[in-house]
Each structure stands twice: as structure tokens, then as C-alpha cells.
Amino acid sequence: MRTAQPLQAALPLLASLLLAACSGGSASIHQAPSRPTAEPGPGEVTLTWNAVPEAKSYTIRWENEGSGQTGFPNRIEGITDTTFLHTGLTNGQLHRYQIYAKGKGGEGPGSVVVSAEPGPIPAALEWATVVINGPDHRVYFDEVADATGYRVYYATSADALIGRRPTAAFLEATGSPFTRTNITGASYYKVIAMSGPRFGLGGPVAISPSLLVGSFELPALSPALADANADDCLDLPAAEGTCNGSFDALDPATAGLGELFAADRINGDSRFADLNADGLPELFTATRSAATDANSRAILHLNQGDNVFQADAGIDDLGIGGFGGTILAADFDNDGDVDLFVPNDSEAGDGGRNWLLVNTGSGLVDGAAAAGLLTNPAGAGYVPAGGQAADVDADGDVDLLFGSRLMLNNGDGSFADGSAAAALTVLADQGLALADVDLDGDLDLIRRDASVTRLQLNTNGAFGAATVIDGDGSTTGAGLAVCDLNSDAFPDVALASNEVATGTGTPRIYLNANGQFVATDVPRELEEGTDDLIAANGLLACADLDGSRVPELVAQWDQVRVLRAGLPLFSSIRLRVLGAGGERNQQGRMVRITPAGAPGRIITRVIESGSGLRAQGDYDLLIGAPWGGDYEVSVRFADGWFTTTAQQGQSLTLYADGRVVEGLE
């Protein structure tokens, strides 16, 4: 019984301890709230902090420097969240804060002191564009109201630029443009507007277009890009893509393409299109020789899979020849399969003419005469060179733009000339493209003649007065590509450029800074510094070849060369638009993307049919998505509009019957 006496003696003490714990007589919080922040706004401060384990509530103690307060005499108690909006404050007065966690045993220690000065804050910047100017990076950006200056943040990682207060290094700027000098390598940038010490709401991440150049000895064919062997890498005619921005040449004889390289043949444009809906694109190659030349005829190669093609005798029997322009592939009659428009110079005196090869499901038959497309008006300005197929009037029928004419699809197999209503001027072009340059929801026109590249903005369906992007008569070139080369939603321009005196040069690139084109330097040497790139250059196409979500530029530049961006940017949206049965037959369809984060912008794209000058980009759409929030995606199919939503970084497959599938099918 003696052993029970110590326990009996301890019972009163144990009971008193339990009673004290239940009554809150002993503090159970030993940790201060960590990482507090104070973000000012007009007449308010937003406070945030990390949660404290076992905390039941939080208390904010604060003082107002303008009133002479000290010692944090003011208290806000009973806060259960880890964020608090303090309102009703006087702008321009500094407010200091300390946050305390409170548990069942009492209040713990205070956080570090944070301060903020309420007042107007600048809005988020909508856009930023970076160009290379010699050894410098020049940053163009949106100047916003209430800004007294800007911070230009830069980093080698996009993650370092997250949020309104990035952890990256920055430089102060008073306005746009801002030049960062003597830079080596590529950088990510983010510009944040400031109002005194107050941070604005942020802005998009931009990349510098530091370009890496790769060179490839490939068969001399026009730059047409498609996944010809179903390995999810983009290929060129007679060359296999490797998914890393490079290409391996195929042996033409082994691939069944030997006819293209016969001694008397002069190849024109090549176009990939899945004409028999088996999931593998066929290859149609036109000519640039007299229509009377029996040794130089258009050839259709049927895709047998595994990089093997077979010539189609039916096309050979048609005897298609001539000085060809840009081949356009689309379902012009809305019957579910892909047709081909093959334009030729009908003024060369060799009997050349245009061909509309209508796909019957069992072969291609010519319907150019019935469609009103057989020949072109007289004059050099009407000779077909550049071209694009697009549903310009968004009526569900794919129209044709070529040879200074906009031919509107009547929906009954015929086309009507809509050039006058569109204010389309006559110009002997060496490349043209339709693109929504100013993100206002319609398609503007970019055209290049031998030496000058011009922009005509679309106003209510009519192309306005031309403004010169490039050209002073000292250079010449045949080639134009329009795509979003820095993945910021704004389409950019690449064009062939050679000095008239020497016939050599480097392609030129103009980046789109909110509708204004700004030149960026193109490398004149390979990255190893051993191969001079001042050489004759011509046809251009662009697509994302390496999965970086930033397009590469493929150029006929002495040999085939690929210009790759130095950095990836994964905020874009990738769309694959297919027929109801999964067919790649939606070329020319209009797609509009409206971002919730920039509601005044409407990004308009056209599914590739062939564009620029004798070139073909990727069938899939890669849309730069620099703004947060949802993106409304609308596609104009043959039977009407279909709308869904997408987010940054997402890939979607959209079917003509209304199905939407995550990823690319």
C-alpha cells in the first residue's frame, strides 16, 4: 500500500495542471507567422503570411506613420485566414504591421515588421517584346497609367519571374523601349510598372530572340512541313525530322521520290496533304518550268508509310506544268476531303493555267474552269506567286487569296472576285500572308514584292493603306513567312533579303511590338563562329520543331538552315482541329482565341493551307498565351461556330462534331 501514496500525493498537482491547460493559462504557440507581405493598393493594404501550426486565429498589430503612432497600438483580432485586406486607409501614409498567431494557450511571438504605403497602383502590362540590337537587348513594352517608372526584370529561368515581386535581378526604366547593354546569351524578361514604391499588377514573360543556327545538306525542295511518317516529328520533303530542330536527308530513290530529281525537272512548290484520309500526308510537287516541257510535270506521291512514297499515275496523265506559285490545300467544296489549288502563270505564253484539283474520294479531277479559276487577268501583278487559303468572310467556305485577287467561295463549287470590296491592290508579290497583326479579331494582309514588304490593316473587311515594314530598293528576295516567333500572341515577319549588288545576304526578322514591327538582328555566323552565313537566301517556313513551344524558322539559305530560339516558353496553347472522323481536312478554317486576362484582344489564326511564298508551316496551331485566366477558343467549321475554353500550356484536339479532347490525337 505504500506504493500508492506517491500517486495519491501527485493527483492534486496533476489536476491543477490539466485545469490550467484547459483554461488557457499556458501558451501553446511558440512560432511567429513567417514570410509576411504587405501589398499596397488605393486606400488599402493586402497582408499575407504563412500559416502557423495549432493556430486558431491571428492578430494584426499596426501603426500609421502619418499620425505619429508608435508601438503598434492598433489591433485587428479574430482573423482565421492567412490573408487580410486592410481598407479605409489614407493614401501616401506608411503603414507598418506585425502579425501574431493565437492558440488555445495564448498568443505567440510577432512576425517581422512589414510596411506598405497605400496609393494608386499601375495596371498589368499587356505586352512586352525583346529584340536583339548588336550586343544589346532592347525591350519594348506597354506603358500604363499611374506608372512613375518600370522595373525590367531578367533571368535565365521563367520561374524566377513569377509574381508581382520576382526574385530576379532588375534594372530601372523610365519608359519604352529600354536597352540592356552588352548581353551574351538569351534571357527571359518581365516588366512591372511602379508607382513610387508600389508594384503594379505584373505583366507577361517575354524571351529574347537569341537565335541558334543549324545547317543541313538536304534535297532542294520548297520548305513544306508535316509529320510524314507518323512519328510526331515534323518532316520536310525528302528529309526526316528528329524532333530536336534538325533533319536527316532521305535517299530519294529509296523513298520513292527519285522522279523529283530527274535531270530535266525544275521543281516548284511542294505541299503535304492527306488526300485519302489514312492519316499519312501525300506529297504534291508542282513545277517552275514551261507548261510545254514534257519532262517537267507535277507529281503526286502517295504516302505508303515508313518514309516510302509512290507516284500516282492519274496526276501524271493530267500533264500539269507551268511556272507555278504557292499550292493551296483545303476542302474547298466542304465534302470532307482535301482538294488542291495549283496556280500557274497563264501569261507566260506557254499554255500554263491554274488547276483546281477536286478530290472525289477516288482521285483528283480538274474543276478550275467550272469554278472560275482557270486563268488570271493580264499583267505581271496578277501572276500567282504567294498565296493562302482562308475563310476570309467566316461563312464556312474556304476562300483563295493569290495573284492580287481575293476569290470568295460561293459554296456551290464556284468563286467570285471579291478583290474590289477588299480594296486589294495589284502587286507583283513575292510572298503574302493573312495574319491578325493587331489582335483585333480580323485578318490583316502582309505582302512582299521583290524589294519591299508592306502591311495593310483590315478595317471592316477592306485592307487599308499600306505601310512599309522593310525595303529601300537596295535588297531583293523571294520569300516570306508570318508566324509568332517569340510565342507572345503577336504574329511576326521573316523575309528573304539579298543585296542587289552581290545576290547574298541574311534573312530579316521583324518582331511585332503591339502591331508595330521592329527589326531584330539575325546571326551572321554559326554559333561555333566558323561558317559565314552571308549567302543567297529565299523561301521560308516556320513551325515548332523541337517541342519548345517557340517556332523555329526553316530557310532556304545557301542550304537548308534552321534558326532556333535560345529559350523555351511553355505558356502557349496548342490546338489540333480535325474533321469529325479525325481527318486533317480543316485547312483554311478560322480560329479566334479571346483571353480573359486581356479581354480587348482577339487572337485570330488560320489553319495552314500553304502560305507566304511556296512554303507550308505546321497544320497544328501554336498560340502564344502570355495572359493568365481562361482563353475562349472558337472555330468556324463548315456548319457553324464551335466554342470551348483552354488554359495556358494546354494542348487540345477539337473535332468538327463538337468533341474536345485533352492532348493531341
Side-chain angles (χ1 to χ4, degrees):
M1 293 298 176
R2 291 179 181 177
T3 57
Q5 290 177 353
L7 177 61
Q8 291 172 343
L11 286 176
L13 176 61
L14 179 61
S16 64
L17 289 173
L18 290 172
L19 181 62
C22 294
S23 63
S26 176
S28 61
I29 299 294
H30 303 284
Q31 180 179 335
S34 63
R35 300 181 67 86
T37 66
E39 201 67 65
E44 62 188 29
V45 172
T46 300
L47 296 161
T48 63
W49 58 91
N50 287 350
V52 174
E54 306 300 327
K56 301 299 183 182
S57 65
Y58 299 91
T59 297
I60 296 173
R61 301 182 186 181
W62 63 278
E63 62 187 22
N64 181 351
E65 186 179 71
S67 63
Q69 294 175 339
T70 59
F72 301 94
N74 308 297
R75 298 171 66 94
I76 305 170
E77 300 186 278
I79 302 167
T80 57
D81 202 353
T82 57
T83 183
F84 180 78
L85 179 62
H86 192 195
T87 60
L89 308 181
T90 301
N91 288 339
Q93 292 185 347
L94 187 69
H95 290 66
R96 287 187 288 267
Y97 299 88
Q98 241 184 331
I99 298 120
Y100 295 78
K102 191 172 184 180
K104 59 185 179 181
E107 198 169 75
S111 70
V112 297
V113 176
V114 291
S115 61
E117 181 184 290
I121 58 172
L125 275 67
E126 275 201 353
W127 60 272
T129 302
V130 185
V131 303
I132 301 173
N133 184 29
D136 304 334
H137 288 176
R138 185 167 293 170
V139 186
Y140 293 80
F141 54 86
D142 184 17
E143 295 185 349
V144 298
D146 296 322
T148 59
Y150 300 87
R151 286 188 176 182
V152 180
Y153 288 85
Y154 57 94
T156 57
S157 165
D159 291 341
L161 301 177
I162 293 173
R164 287 174 63 183
R165 294 175 181 262
T167 58
F170 67 88
L171 296 168
E172 301 281 357
T174 58
S176 174
F178 172 79
T179 300
R180 183 174 167 232
T181 59
N182 297 318
I183 309 304
T184 58
S187 294
Y188 293 93
Y189 287 88
K190 185 174 186 177
V191 183
I192 296 179
M194 304 291 293
S195 179
R198 295 181 293 278
F199 282 70
L201 294 177
V205 174
I207 56 174
S208 64
S210 300
L211 298 171
L212 309 175
V213 183
S215 301
F216 308 97
E217 294 285 354
L218 302 177
L221 293 167
S222 68
L225 293 160
D227 182 7
N229 56 2
D231 66 350
D232 294 326
C233 301
L234 291 176
D235 309 303
L236 288 167
E240 182 179 12
T242 62
C243 277
N244 64 4
S246 65
F247 295 93
D248 295 327
L250 300 175
D251 176 53
T254 303
L257 300 172
E259 302 98 323
L260 294 177
F261 303 98
D264 296 326
R265 179 179 175 79
I266 302 177
N267 289 308
D269 194 14
S270 291
R271 187 65 61 248
F272 281 114
D274 187 2
L275 301 177
N276 56 14
D278 66 351
L280 296 171
E282 278 61 59
L283 179 65
F284 186 97
T285 304
T287 63
R288 288 189 59 76
S289 54
T292 54
D293 186 350
N295 295 316
S296 189
R297 298 291 194 210
I299 303 176
L300 171 63
H301 283 97
L302 302 176
N303 196 332
Q304 308 299 299
D306 296 325
N307 292 324
V308 176
F309 294 82
Q310 182 178 355
D312 178 67
I315 292 298
D316 188 60
D317 291 342
L318 291 177
I320 302 172
F323 295 96
T326 303
I327 302 169
L328 304 176
D331 183 8
F332 295 111
D333 54 5
N334 280 337
D335 65 351
D337 48 33
V338 180
D339 312 303
L340 294 174
F341 178 66
V342 186
N344 290 288
D345 182 0
S346 59
E347 292 295 303
D350 59 354
R353 62 161 176 103
N354 302 325
W355 297 74
L356 178 63
L357 300 178
V358 179
N359 194 336
T360 66
S362 58
L364 300 175
V365 299
D366 182 38
L373 298 171
L374 191 66
T375 59
N376 313 302
Y382 292 103
V383 173
Q388 191 168 358
D391 185 3
V392 174
D393 50 7
D395 64 351
D397 301 310
V398 180
D399 311 306
L400 289 165
L401 180 65
F402 72 100
S404 297
R405 289 193 296 165
L406 173 60
M407 301 300 291
L408 298 175
N409 193 330
N410 293 321
D412 60 0
S414 67
F415 289 77
D417 195 335
S419 307
L424 189 64
T425 55
V426 178
L427 176 69
D429 74 87
Q430 290 297 320
L432 63 82
L434 292 164
D436 186 4
V437 168
D438 48 6
L439 305 192
D440 66 348
D442 56 30
L443 295 172
D444 309 303
L445 177 60
I446 299 171
R447 301 174 80 184
R448 174 167 176 75
D449 63 19
S451 59
V452 180
T453 303
R454 301 171 176 85
L455 166 65
Q456 292 178 265
L457 294 176
N458 187 334
T459 303
N460 299 322
F463 299 116
T467 57
V468 174
I469 297 173
D470 174 89
D472 56 8
S474 64
T475 59
T476 185
L480 171 76
V482 177
C483 64
D484 184 3
L485 288 167
N486 53 4
S487 205
D488 66 350
F490 292 89
D492 309 304
V493 172
L495 50 96
S497 180
N498 300 287
E499 294 180 1
V500 172
T502 65
T504 63
T506 57
R508 295 188 181 182
I509 295 177
Y510 287 84
L511 298 183
N512 187 338
N514 193 35
Q516 303 294 317
F517 288 100
V518 184
T520 187
D521 288 353
V522 174
R524 300 180 74 88
E525 293 183 303
L526 289 176
E527 51 196 303
E528 295 86 357
T530 59
D531 187 3
D532 193 351
L533 288 185
I534 302 176
N537 60 89
L539 305 181
L540 301 156
C542 51
D544 179 13
L545 304 175
D546 60 2
S548 65
R549 297 268 183 155
V550 180
E552 281 71 51
L553 186 65
V554 179
Q556 280 190 351
W557 183 3
D558 187 33
Q559 54 188 306
V560 175
R561 304 186 192 268
V562 176
L563 282 73
R564 299 173 56 199
L567 294 170
L569 190 61
F570 297 108
S571 57
S572 58
I573 296 168
R574 192 184 294 276
L575 301 176
R576 179 170 294 171
V577 183
L578 301 175
E583 308 89 348
R584 295 196 185 197
N585 60 1
Q586 299 300 309
Q587 293 92 336
R589 303 294 180 197
M590 181 180 289
V591 182
R592 288 182 176 143
I593 304 99
T594 304
R601 306 288 188 176
I602 304 174
I603 308 164
T604 307
R605 295 288 186 267
V606 176
I607 300 172
E608 176 72 331
S609 64
S611 63
L613 179 67
R614 300 194 300 278
Q616 178 181 11
D618 192 4
Y619 179 90
D620 294 338
L621 295 177
L622 182 65
I623 298 105
W627 306 289
D630 288 344
Y631 286 72
E632 181 184 273
V633 178
S634 297
V635 183
R636 184 36 163 119
F637 288 107
D639 57 357
W641 287 94
F642 170 77
T643 300
T644 186
T645 57
Q647 286 78 41
Q648 285 179 316
Q650 197 169 26
S651 295
L652 295 177
T653 302
L654 284 64
Y655 290 86
D657 60 5
R659 288 177 293 140
V660 179
V661 176
E662 179 81 25
L664 301 181
E665 292 196 334

